[in-house]
Amino acid sequence: MKELKNIVRTRAQESSAAVERLYITMRHLFNRGFYKPMGVSGETLREALLALRPEIYGSIATEKVELNGLLYVIERLPVGIEQCRFINLTSDEGYSKSHFQAIVPPKRKRNCYRIDEEQMNVEITRGRSDIYDILTHLTFLFIESHKIKARVLLDENTGEVSRDWQKLGEVVGNGERLELAEKEQAMSHAANVLGRSFSEILDVYDSFGTPENPDRFISVVYWLGKLAIEELVENNKRTISFSPILRERLGHHIHGEIWANNIKSVLKENGLIDRPIHIISANMHSVMNSLFAEHVHKAKFKEKGDYAIYEELSKSGADALRKPVEKFALEHGMISLPDTSGTNIDVQIFDTDKIDWTKSAFPKAKADDKPVIIVMDYAFGEQAYETIDELLKPYSDGKNRTLLNVVSVSIMGKAGILEGDKGDIMIPSAHINEGTGDNYPFENELTKELLENNGIPVYAGPMVTVLGTSLQNRDLLTFFNKSTWGVIGLEMEGAYYQKAIQSASKIRKSINPDVKVRYAYYASDNPLETGSTLASGGLGTTGVKPTYLITIKILEQLLNVK
């Protein structure tokens, strides 16, 4: 009889189990309708997040408050949410027609409404991934708030707090802009409260500020700690709830269906519904600029490098350069469709029959079949399935049913890389769904060889579709990278796009079974390298060249440019 060995789980296995628990727990809490994040109902979520210890949340499992992770989260949540005890996740339920002003986080497209001093409503129109994103961010926020409470609450029976905390309360209570001396005094008190050095506070202080409140960092720290203290001393638990309408609508593709029908209606109105269609998921500038910017600004940039014009167009405050390009595009075949469906996905339609190729960056274009290019802004996680699934369905005007002649679907965007650096390019050969291990191999029309020799390292191989960027975990990602999976990077939408494309082309037969697919990503971060995670900051102009290189290679294939 063989001797039984002690079976010890690796960190990768523990992390994988933690991700699964997070996924299941969040769905359970959603179905339940409400929960208290720092109470018994939120305990499983907290424990799973602490077991996972995502890279983006840095020192979440230590006593010190995590500063870069806090900044990352605050930029993706509405201003003032740290002051609210009640956070209500809703569908689009008509608040845009009220007197409430929409609060849109700087790094996430979602409408939020401050109902009163204690309540913030957050609209969820982009599917389950939006819920996972918010709940993990809020769980992190509340865990950090209790760290602050533990450092400043001296006696939970009397509510006695430390002197540093009293001083922060006075600063926030005054509500006035701080002079340099007052600001540095407040930073000194905050450093003691957070268990961080003065220089660490100094490094992040201004990043939290807004034009209206440059000292927002102090306010965020104070309110997080204040509500955590009240939870313990006064038993005023913070509560997250899900509106009945959100629970009823989620998963029914309501916003995606409206979005897709709007696009098809515009195609029909403009006589484009029967033409060959190429769909590109990208940002709202790279295709337009790649087609027309060189011609519009040829005199100004003729002596400069190939990508200089795109770098200038990508800078903040470059409206004077961008507007002439957009105006020219609208006069030469582009139709702009700002989103009205709630998906937060804007669309551009390019009628190539109206483009004078001699006045574009592709004078050798061979577009005799007069294709239509639909450019859709980035989807968010599972929303990718909802939108592409609806877009690839036949168009019906109530009388007739028209199958779309979709020739190709191209997906480009940012992703985390596991073998290179920020700005490098990844060409996937398959997408693996992190939560389930479901996998989607495909033949990618973009190849490593096609993008090489352009001064940017290019990697090819499988990529993993993760539940959320905030759940990146070093051990799990190392396993995916070093094991036989051979994963080169991670993103949030690939498996969902491919699932929708495969079902439409191979099973439902609503589009050409031989539809061509193109996937390419450039690296926004490397979660396996300390200091290179998403929380370490943006790409700046590093992302400009890979963005436009990928865009140009996609367009060359669509337009048969040899």
Side-chain angles (χ1 to χ4, degrees):
M1 183 173 165
K2 285 187 177 177
E3 203 176 311
L4 289 175
K5 292 182 180 176
N6 263 337
I7 298 173
V8 180
R9 291 198 307 171
T10 65
R11 270 290 298 151
Q13 289 170 321
E14 289 174 357
S15 302
S16 182
V19 170
E20 192 174 354
R21 282 204 309 279
L22 280 163
Y23 182 65
I24 292 168
T25 302
M26 286 189 280
R27 296 191 74 147
H28 162 71
L29 294 172
F30 172 74
N31 291 330
R32 182 178 185 234
F34 75 97
Y35 77 104
K36 296 179 178 178
M38 300 309 290
V40 175
S41 52
E43 189 174 2
T44 305
L45 205 53
R46 297 196 310 272
E47 287 177 350
L49 198 62
L50 288 167
L52 185 62
R53 298 199 291 277
E55 298 305 309
I56 216 160
Y57 293 154
S59 56
I60 184 173
T62 71
E63 290 182 3
K64 293 180 178 180
V65 172
E66 167 58 31
L67 297 179
N68 287 327
L70 184 60
L71 175 61
Y72 180 86
V73 166
I74 285 295
E75 288 178 330
R76 284 155 180 78
L77 293 172
V79 171
I81 197 166
E82 69 278 359
Q83 302 174 8
C84 297
R85 276 207 307 123
F86 300 98
I87 297 166
N88 190 20
L89 274 53
T90 73
S91 180
D92 180 358
E93 298 175 19
Y95 285 99
S96 59
K97 299 173 185 174
S98 70
H99 77 282
F100 296 114
Q101 289 294 311
I103 306 168
V104 181
K107 297 290 179 74
R108 279 283 186 271
K109 289 183 181 178
R110 51 171 73 110
N111 292 329
C112 310
Y113 300 93
R114 183 76 177 265
I115 304 303
D116 55 38
E117 286 185 1
E118 290 190 307
Q119 182 179 336
M120 180 75 75
N121 281 15
V122 181
E123 275 188 5
I124 303 293
T125 57
R126 302 200 291 174
R128 287 192 181 90
S129 293
D130 223 5
I131 293 178
Y132 306 150
D133 187 63
I134 289 170
L135 293 190
T136 49
H137 287 340
L138 289 174
T139 303
F140 164 79
L141 207 61
F142 297 158
I143 288 171
E144 297 300 297
S145 76
H146 273 244
K147 289 185 193 175
I148 297 171
K149 179 263 300 175
R151 297 185 71 89
V152 302
L153 184 61
L154 304 179
D155 189 330
E156 61 183 75
N157 294 317
T158 62
E160 183 186 355
V161 292
S162 69
R163 178 178 180 274
D164 289 306
W165 188 248
Q166 292 172 13
K167 291 295 181 182
L168 282 189
E170 290 171 12
V171 169
V172 174
N174 287 337
E176 297 174 1
R177 290 198 177 195
L178 302 178
E179 299 298 330
L180 181 60
E182 297 169 322
K183 174 179 165 181
E184 292 186 345
Q185 286 171 3
M187 288 167 65
S188 176
H189 295 306
N192 289 336
V193 163
L194 302 176
R196 293 288 180 180
S197 68
F198 183 84
S199 62
E200 286 176 311
I201 305 297
L202 190 62
D203 286 342
V204 300
Y205 191 93
D206 290 336
S207 301
F208 279 82
T210 62
E212 302 78 29
N213 185 8
D215 304 302
R216 188 180 172 218
F217 177 79
I218 299 298
S219 175
V220 168
V221 170
Y222 177 74
W223 278 99
L224 285 176
K226 184 177 188 294
L227 294 188
I229 291 169
E230 288 176 0
E231 279 195 323
L232 185 65
V233 176
E234 300 173 22
N235 201 30
N236 287 336
K237 299 286 187 192
R238 284 170 282 195
T239 304
I240 295 174
S241 56
F242 308 89
S243 77
I245 295 176
L246 174 65
R247 292 161 67 200
E248 178 186 309
R249 287 179 176 175
L250 195 75
H252 291 271
H253 291 199
I254 288 170
H255 300 287
E257 185 178 8
I258 296 168
W259 174 84
N261 286 341
N262 287 344
I263 296 169
K264 293 172 201 172
S265 297
V266 171
L267 291 174
K268 180 72 173 176
E269 289 164 15
N270 288 272
L272 307 175
I273 196 80
D274 295 313
R275 301 252 288 271
I277 293 171
H278 298 280
I279 299 168
I280 303 176
S281 173
N283 51 60
M284 286 290 98
H285 55 77
S286 60
V287 173
M288 178 180 71
N289 288 344
S290 296
L291 287 170
F292 302 117
E294 192 177 288
H295 172 75
V296 172
H297 292 299
K298 59 187 173 187
K300 188 170 186 178
F301 289 92
K302 65 180 179 183
E303 303 298 330
K304 305 215 174 151
D306 288 346
Y307 293 89
I309 184 170
Y310 304 129
E311 288 188 3
E312 289 300 318
L313 285 162
S314 300
K315 289 178 180 176
S316 59
D319 286 349
L321 284 177
R322 287 193 283 261
K323 283 180 180 174
V325 179
E326 185 176 4
K327 182 174 182 289
F328 186 85
L330 289 167
E331 292 168 353
H332 292 80
M334 186 178 91
I335 302 168
S336 180
L337 292 177
D339 180 62
T340 56
S341 68
T343 60
N344 283 308
I345 299 177
D346 296 334
V347 171
Q348 294 164 337
I349 298 172
F350 294 86
D351 178 0
T352 61
D353 191 35
K354 293 183 178 178
I355 296 176
D356 180 348
W357 296 110
T358 62
K359 295 180 179 178
S360 78
F362 301 90
K364 296 181 180 178
K366 296 182 181 68
D368 299 335
D369 55 351
K370 302 174 185 176
V372 174
I373 301 172
I374 298 174
V375 180
M376 56 179 281
D377 208 346
Y378 299 123
F380 187 74
E382 287 188 30
Q383 186 191 33
Y385 178 77
E386 174 179 340
T387 48
I388 290 291
D389 184 58
E390 292 296 331
L391 186 56
L392 298 182
K393 286 179 180 176
Y395 171 69
S396 175
D397 58 5
K399 299 176 185 175
N400 302 308
R401 188 168 167 269
T402 307
L403 293 172
L404 300 185
N405 181 14
V406 178
V407 180
S408 74
V409 182
S410 303
I411 312 297
M412 61 161 287
K414 293 186 292 188
I417 196 166
L418 301 180
E419 295 183 6
D421 298 312
K422 287 184 178 184
D424 292 353
I425 289 174
M426 290 160 280
I427 307 295
S429 56
H431 287 295
I432 303 152
N433 201 319
E434 177 192 42
T436 62
D438 294 348
N439 48 83
Y440 302 88
F442 48 83
E443 187 175 332
N444 197 342
E445 295 296 312
L446 296 175
T447 63
K448 182 179 179 182
E449 293 71 28
L450 187 69
L451 284 106
E452 280 182 324
N453 303 316
N454 287 285
I456 301 174
V458 183
Y459 299 85
M463 292 182 68
V464 64
T465 299
V466 297
L467 286 175
T469 53
S470 56
L471 298 181
Q472 294 174 1
N473 168 272
R474 183 187 299 268
D475 303 290
L476 189 53
L477 295 177
T478 299
F479 165 74
F480 270 122
N481 179 231
K482 301 298 182 187
S483 70
T484 50
W485 283 110
V487 164
I488 60 167
L490 62 149
E491 44 70 56
M492 280 185 64
E493 293 82 26
Y496 301 117
Y497 279 126
Q498 191 59 25
K499 180 166 72 168
I501 294 165
Q502 284 183 195
S503 64
S505 61
K506 308 295 184 190
I507 301 170
R508 293 167 138 182
K509 311 292 186 189
S510 55
I511 62 170
N512 185 346
D514 297 320
V515 62
K516 292 182 177 355
V517 294
R518 299 178 184 87
Y519 291 91
Y521 301 91
Y522 63 92
S524 57
D525 64 299
N526 186 332
L528 297 183
E529 285 187 11
T530 302
S532 293
T533 67
L534 281 171
S536 65
L539 275 167
T541 57
T542 309
V544 173
K545 185 174 179 180
T547 297
Y548 281 91
L549 176 60
I550 293 168
T551 305
I552 289 165
K553 292 300 179 184
I554 290 172
L555 289 172
E556 283 178 350
Q557 289 195 345
L558 302 192
L559 303 172
N560 300 303
V561 176
K562 303 298 181 190

